[in-house]
Amino acid sequence: MATQQYRIVSAEDSEIHGEPHIEGSRVTVRDVHARVEQRGLAPERVAERYNLDIADVYEALAYYHTNPEEMRRVEKRHDRAAAEARERSSLTPPDS
């Protein structure tokens, strides 16, 4: 029986902003999820854009949905960092 080799590095073991990512790349699970499920890009397009195997994209999506608590923590940490950066920024967006 063949053994499945998973290529997702957990947030706990990740050196990329403490986010789960695809091993051997800097592509995070959160980024794959955002591009496929929020922006509507085809998984094949995401794989092509990041030079990944299509299985990596689907594995990242499965990881996102299999680990909801971990992903919520990552999302909250990311949102806090973005809010802090906005508060420290002296730039203001242009008027529309």
Side-chain angles (χ1 to χ4, degrees), residues 18-93:
E19 289 193 38
H21 67 278
I22 299 169
E23 184 178 52
S25 77
R26 297 190 59 80
V27 179
T28 66
V29 167
R30 187 175 57 82
D31 191 37
V32 170
H33 174 264
R35 291 180 185 277
V36 174
E37 296 189 8
Q38 294 173 344
R39 296 182 191 161
L41 291 176
E44 295 81 6
R45 180 73 179 126
V46 174
E48 179 182 293
R49 184 173 289 172
Y50 288 115
N51 196 31
L52 298 170
D53 190 276
I54 188 70
D56 293 332
V57 173
Y58 283 111
E59 187 177 338
L61 293 171
Y63 188 92
Y64 185 94
H65 292 289
T66 303
N67 298 281
E69 293 86 20
E70 178 182 6
M71 296 313 302
R72 272 195 293 278
R73 285 192 302 271
V74 167
E75 292 286 354
K76 284 182 183 179
R77 191 170 60 244
H78 186 267
D79 291 346
R80 275 194 309 271
E84 289 172 10
R86 280 192 301 274
E87 288 176 13
R88 288 193 308 265
S89 176
S90 61
L91 300 175
T92 56

